[in-house]
Amino acid sequence: DLGAAHVVIEEVAENLDLKRRVLAGIEDHVSRGTMLATNTVWLSVNAIGAGLSARERFAGFHFLTPASTPLVEIIPALTSSEATLETLDALARGMGYTPIVSADLPGFIVAHLNRGLMGEAARSLEAEVAPPHVIDAILRSALGLAQGPFELYDALGLDVVARAARHISEGWGGEPRFRDVPLLATRVAAGFTGHDGHRGFYETGPDARIPPLLAEPAEPWTGPVFVSPKIPDLAATVRGLLGKATLVGQPSARSLNIVTPLGTDALGEIVEQGLDPSRSVGIDALLTGEIVSIAATPMPLGEIRRGAAGLILAGGRKPAVIRDTPGLVAQRVAAMIVAVGYAMLDKGVASAADIDIAATQALGYAQGPFALSGRIGAARPVQILQTLHAISGDARWRVPTN
């Protein structure tokens, strides 16, 4: 009996006309004080409720996927009363969920925020910086993710994620940060959707195997090692990763040389610092964890590349060799996560607190964009964004105004 219900939540397919018809039918059968909510994934809450008689008693109440996610997004309509929002807040808490409040804007909080990680990871793969399992391992380690982005693509479905990304991009007027990644459309067209047992970025089935991180074995390095002092704190981090390496103060014809790019690529740093490209590699020292990224240009000798990996292994970490590119992997993804978070704050999508809560409790990040910015120093994401913008001219790297 709907007449006795205090709150009724509509959950039908994502079709605007269908949702409007269902809610209108519900409104005809509830009492005057009943509050209505829509569990829409991406449709406008205001558009859904436009035809209701008691629009003050209507709002969005979005449960997230998977169902075990301990958050619910409350999306006020322009007409929602404070009493309605307070009731939905209490309902969420009574059901064991943490409520977060989003403006009625494309993507709400969670889907919008996750575009920073998912889009930039896909672009790194498209640029052949590293294969999916290596990018996943690097980002799980560097950012403390519960799942790597390509694991998440496969779990959610590439077709589902691509459709949501397109909706968000169109809703924000073709925002460059949310541009389509052609790689996704190609894989979806080939049937690599990644859910319901289908192959996505990873093989499926009992014989599926994840390749090793290193495409070639590491080798011990006993010769001298020069670590560029250009960025002192990053140089100190690298020295701490190298265990009992023989560190020297100047490069030589026998040394293995290491630079620490920050938003730049390793080759640019090597050339700028006058180092021998055949004996030099880059290491991402900004975001290190169990896995350490080694940026290999096309020029280093095989013994240098393998020796750099051996040094990381000897220091107790796992090396991952990637193709040299500006911002490497973790830096460019972290900078984009921060940029998207601050842009959301700028656009009034949600509060900084709710954005960080969404990141940690819904998306499995160790830190939200604002906490991450604090961890690596607020100036560092700005520097990475500015550097990538200057190198590429791509507007997706512009610094948010907030």
Side-chain angles (χ1 to χ4, degrees):
D1 180 9
L2 291 179
H6 191 45
V7 177
V8 177
I9 302 170
E10 162 274 311
E11 185 180 6
V12 296
E14 289 294 294
N15 178 286
L16 181 59
D17 289 339
L18 176 61
K19 285 183 177 288
R20 283 174 168 174
R21 288 198 308 271
V22 169
L23 283 163
I26 292 172
E27 191 174 37
D28 288 341
H29 291 86
V30 296
S31 65
R32 183 173 296 180
T34 300
M35 296 173 187
L36 303 182
T38 176
N39 182 28
T40 182
V41 177
W42 57 53
L43 294 174
S44 165
V45 169
N46 282 287
I48 292 170
L52 294 174
S53 299
R55 294 170 65 185
E56 73 279 2
R57 296 201 302 274
F58 172 74
F61 197 73
H62 177 216
F63 294 97
L64 299 160
T65 302
S68 58
T69 305
L71 290 185
V72 64
E73 293 177 315
I74 295 176
I75 306 103
L78 294 174
T79 52
S80 301
S81 69
E82 283 301 317
T84 296
L85 300 179
E86 289 169 3
T87 297
L88 293 178
D89 183 282
L91 176 63
R93 295 179 191 280
M95 296 171 68
Y97 291 91
T98 298
I100 53 177
V101 179
S102 172
D104 185 22
L105 292 167
F108 306 136
I109 301 174
V110 174
H112 188 156
L113 176 61
N114 208 27
R115 294 312 308 146
L117 170 69
M118 304 294 275
E120 209 48 50
R123 291 187 186 94
S124 294
L125 177 61
E126 196 167 55
E128 299 182 343
V129 176
H133 72 285
V134 174
I135 294 174
D136 274 352
I138 289 170
L139 293 176
R140 285 197 308 267
S141 171
L143 301 178
L145 304 178
Q147 286 183 295
F150 298 106
E151 293 169 323
L152 193 54
Y153 270 118
D154 280 10
L156 296 174
L158 276 68
D159 52 339
V160 173
V161 177
R163 189 164 60 247
R166 195 173 309 114
H167 165 79
I168 294 170
S169 176
E170 291 171 356
W172 286 104
E175 161 60 52
R177 296 188 184 102
F178 305 145
R179 277 196 305 262
D180 283 350
V181 182
L183 170 82
L184 294 181
T186 301
R187 296 186 79 85
V188 171
F192 291 2
T193 55
H195 57 124
D196 298 329
H198 295 286
R199 176 183 174 182
F201 286 106
Y202 288 93
E203 298 281 353
T204 58
D207 298 326
R209 297 288 184 271
I210 297 176
L213 276 180
L214 292 177
E216 60 180 350
E219 293 179 354
W221 179 265
T222 57
V225 179
F226 169 73
V227 179
S228 165
K230 178 181 175 181
I231 306 177
D233 62 317
L234 299 187
T237 297
V238 170
R239 287 193 290 269
L241 295 172
L242 301 182
K244 297 180 180 179
T246 304
L247 299 172
V248 295
Q250 295 293 330
S252 70
R254 295 178 52 249
S255 64
L256 186 160
N257 309 315
I258 297 172
V259 295
T260 56
L262 187 63
T264 56
D265 59 4
L267 183 59
E269 294 293 336
I270 290 164
V271 171
E272 178 191 298
Q273 296 176 45
L275 300 172
D276 181 351
S278 71
R279 305 194 65 83
S280 306
V281 297
I283 284 182
D284 185 355
L286 180 66
L287 292 155
T288 58
E290 178 191 18
I291 293 170
V292 176
S293 298
I294 300 172
T297 75
M299 298 182 183
L301 300 170
E303 64 178 286
I304 296 295
R305 190 173 55 247
R306 294 188 294 271
L311 285 168
I312 298 301
L313 278 175
R317 309 290 179 100
K318 297 178 181 178
V321 178
I322 63 173
R323 189 174 71 81
D324 187 30
T325 192
L328 311 180
V329 171
Q331 289 182 20
R332 67 191 298 134
V333 171
M336 185 57 71
I337 289 171
V338 171
V340 170
Y342 274 94
M344 290 172 68
L345 192 63
D346 233 10
K347 296 165 182 171
V349 175
S351 68
D354 278 357
I355 292 169
D356 270 356
I357 290 171
T360 56
Q361 295 192 31
L363 297 174
Y365 299 7
Q367 297 170 304
F370 306 103
L372 175 61
S373 180
R375 167 190 160 193
I376 61 179
R380 288 273 164 88
V382 172
Q383 181 179 348
I384 294 167
L385 291 168
Q386 289 174 332
T387 300
L388 290 169
H389 193 211
I391 291 170
S392 68
D394 191 328
R396 82 179 192 271
W397 296 118
R398 70 194 189 281
V399 177
T401 57
N402 196 314

